[in-house]
Amino acid sequence: MTVRELGHDIYWIGAIDWNRRLFDSLIPLPEGTSYNAYFVKGSEKSALIDTVDPSKEFEFVCNLIKLGVEKVDYIIINHAEQDHSGSLPMASELFPEARIVVSEKCKDLVVSLLEIAPERCLVVKDHDTISLGDRTLEFFMAPWVHWPETMLTYLREDKILFSCDLFGSHIATSTLVVHDVAEMYHPAKRYYAEIMMPFRMQIRDHMKKIADLKIEMIAPSHGPLYQPPDPILALYRDWISDTVKNEVVIPYASMHGSTEKMVLHLAGALIDRGIAVKPFDLTKTDLGELAAALVDSATIVIGTPTLLFGPHPLVANAAFITNLIRPKAKYATVIGSYGWGGKTVEAVKGMLNHLSAEIIDPVYVKGAPDSACLRELEALAERIAAKHREAGLLNDSPPLLP
Ligand SMILES: Cc1cc2nc3c(=O)[nH]c(=O)nc-3n(C[C@H](O)[C@H](O)[C@H](O)COP(=O)(O)O)c2cc1C
Ligand SMILES: [Fe+2]
Ligand SMILES: [Fe+2]
């Protein structure tokens, strides 16, 4: 158990999950995670802000005991997902007088997911405030980061934004507050990719909403806190923008090496043309790494052999996930090899229907890649380079090789 003071009478009382390796039965957690919960004491009233995953409930209770918390007037639930709300049933029994502060949609969810009595809930709307005496909590509705009920809580006098999943990162670390955002660049980007990227447009609106707030610290509900907040806000502004990098991400699988030869040849031809490449062999890839690479790459090339008339299942899975997380790539295509026939290219294109990317002509060949195929791949590299040039991502310098 660990209790850490963030400021006078403001405490972190969450739990670090060093050994968790999978989230939502889907997302790999190579560095673990944390569930941040907070306790804020005002001159008259006190509030808990979020709770922890049920697996860490015991630690959470120990933290409350360690801190000597005897009375809680409000339990703020920014988000109903169980990694933050899962210890609410216990906390609401421990503090039977506490009102559970939720958005309208969150009330519905805590009632149905956690069997919370509706009469315990105090529903708040955008800009509503609750006074703790010398401290004020202000609420900002932030639907779809990443559930429809999410809100942000701003502790006005202390200028702390409790942002729940927004600006979070899955990392178990003893660092409570990060001052140099570079330390967190990769975990924060990966988390954005896995959880937040499908809601880039909604995040734009939420960031506008909080733009005039004076924020000195951002306190998310996973990973470390940010002080000052501007560098992480700047990273988010970049990730949610329409700007893409001169980069091609190539998720692929290959059963007997033909598709892989094609991927490596295309990768070389792209590098020759001044384009960065990130190939991912899906038999080895952690999907979180692929998601992070998809945040700002201009082009996605899916590499797949044909297996039972369609894409390789690992590729189908990666394409399905890519479609779900909706990267902002401007161009996409398919390459690979088949033996006797199928509908692989059509199937993969169909699986990317949520992307706004323009589909570039694919290179799909029978058998092992012969010299004609390699020339076709070079031509594809040239088509991609032309697109990147048109988009202003690549300057006009001639390729190193003809
Ligand atoms: C399990 C399995 C199923 C296959 N199913 C098909 C198929 O339905 N249609 C087809 O055209 N080729 C099929 N093939 C042939 C492969 O697509 C072909 O050998 C291709 O060149 C393999 O590329 P790779 O070396 O990148 O794995 C299948 C091969 C395997 C091993
Ligand atoms: Fe969540
Ligand atoms: Fe979460």
Side-chain angles (χ1 to χ4, degrees):
M1 63 185 166
T2 321
V3 169
R4 291 177 288 182
E5 195 170 19
L6 279 181
H8 177 64
D9 279 343
I10 308 172
Y11 300 91
W12 179 96
I13 53 166
I16 304 172
D17 204 339
W18 300 97
N19 297 323
R20 187 161 179 181
R21 287 293 174 268
L22 196 63
F23 195 81
D24 287 349
S25 299
L26 174 69
I27 298 168
L29 300 179
E31 299 185 273
T33 189
S34 65
Y35 319 106
N36 299 334
Y38 305 91
F39 178 70
V40 182
K41 202 163 175 302
S43 56
E44 289 166 25
K45 305 240 160 123
S46 60
L48 275 180
I49 301 179
D50 293 318
T51 71
V52 300
D53 190 84
S55 61
K56 292 288 173 185
E57 190 171 278
F58 182 71
E59 258 181 62
F60 183 57
V61 176
C62 290
N63 287 347
L64 290 164
I65 293 168
K66 191 173 179 180
L67 195 55
V69 176
E70 284 171 0
K71 186 169 163 283
V72 169
D73 299 282
Y74 301 104
I75 304 174
I76 317 296
I77 296 294
N78 283 319
H79 177 29
E81 191 172 3
Q82 287 89 331
D83 53 330
H84 310 295
S85 70
S87 300
L88 173 62
M90 179 279 302
S92 64
E93 273 185 39
L94 212 54
F95 304 109
E97 306 298 316
R99 300 297 307 273
I100 297 166
V101 181
V102 281
S103 69
E104 184 77 53
K105 280 222 165 70
C106 192
K107 177 179 173 181
D108 172 57
L109 287 170
V110 295
V111 169
S112 65
L113 291 173
L114 303 165
E115 298 182 57
I116 294 295
E119 56 277 13
R120 292 285 306 268
C121 294
L122 172 63
V123 170
V124 288
K125 299 185 298 305
D126 223 6
H127 300 289
D128 279 359
T129 57
I130 285 179
S131 174
L132 304 178
D134 56 352
R135 287 186 150 125
T136 316
L137 297 168
E138 183 174 358
F139 306 99
F140 293 87
M141 300 302 117
W144 298 114
V145 289
H146 58 129
W147 279 21
E149 85 307 7
T150 310
M151 66 180 191
L152 318 176
T153 298
Y154 178 59
L155 185 58
R156 202 184 266 169
E157 292 73 11
D158 303 272
K159 303 181 182 63
I160 302 176
L161 182 70
F162 297 93
S163 61
C164 203
D165 280 340
L166 187 60
F167 310 122
S169 43
H170 281 312
I171 184 166
T173 168
S174 53
T175 302
L176 180 61
V177 182
V178 157
H179 304 292
D180 175 5
V181 79
E183 285 172 35
M184 285 303 298
Y185 178 83
H186 193 68
K189 185 177 190 184
R190 183 178 157 123
Y191 184 91
Y192 165 81
E194 293 162 337
I195 313 281
M196 295 293 160
M197 190 154 73
F199 307 106
R200 160 174 100 85
M201 295 306 169
Q202 287 86 343
I203 297 174
R204 284 185 188 182
D205 292 341
H206 303 327
M207 287 185 68
K208 270 185 217 144
K209 202 186 261 187
I210 60 169
D212 294 331
L213 282 185
K214 290 192 173 33
I215 302 172
E216 284 181 2
M217 183 187 278
I218 289 183
S221 52
H222 297 286
L225 290 60
Y226 293 96
Q227 188 179 44
D230 310 271
I232 185 74
L233 292 172
L235 284 180
Y236 260 71
R237 274 195 291 276
D238 178 38
W239 295 335
I240 62 177
S241 75
D242 293 330
T243 310
V244 288
K245 279 189 190 159
N246 178 31
E247 194 171 279
V248 178
V249 172
I250 319 177
Y252 73 94
S254 183
M255 300 179 287
H256 296 291
S258 292
T259 303
E260 183 161 62
K261 269 188 205 141
M262 294 175 71
V263 166
L264 299 180
H265 194 76
L266 177 68
L270 289 165
I271 295 168
D272 286 346
R273 286 163 178 78
I275 299 173
V277 293
K278 288 191 176 165
F280 290 94
D281 175 347
L282 293 168
T283 62
K284 302 185 173 85
T285 296
D286 165 341
L287 287 174
E289 288 304 304
L290 171 62
L294 289 170
V295 167
D296 40 22
S297 69
T299 300
I300 305 168
V301 176
I302 307 264
T304 184
T306 293
L307 185 150
L308 297 177
F309 304 101
H312 189 284
L314 285 177
V315 177
N317 182 45
F320 184 81
I321 289 172
T322 300
N323 200 43
L324 286 181
I325 62 177
R326 297 175 186 231
K328 59 186 173 183
K330 292 190 184 308
Y331 315 103
T333 191
V334 184
I335 62 173
S337 166
Y338 67 99
W340 46 93
K343 296 244 180 263
T344 305
V345 172
E346 294 78 357
V348 174
K349 280 192 204 167
M351 295 179 87
L352 300 178
N353 62 328
H354 288 164
L355 271 56
S356 53
E358 174 189 335
I359 304 289
I360 299 177
D361 284 346
V363 176
Y364 213 70
V365 299
K366 184 170 166 60
D370 57 7
S371 58
C373 169
L374 300 182
R375 297 293 87 75
E376 269 193 65
L377 288 166
E378 287 152 26
L380 174 59
E382 197 42 54
R383 287 199 290 282
I384 293 172
K387 294 290 182 189
H388 284 210
R389 251 179 246 121
E390 250 173 63
L393 302 171
L394 183 61
N395 59 32
D396 283 331
S397 58
L400 294 177
L401 296 171

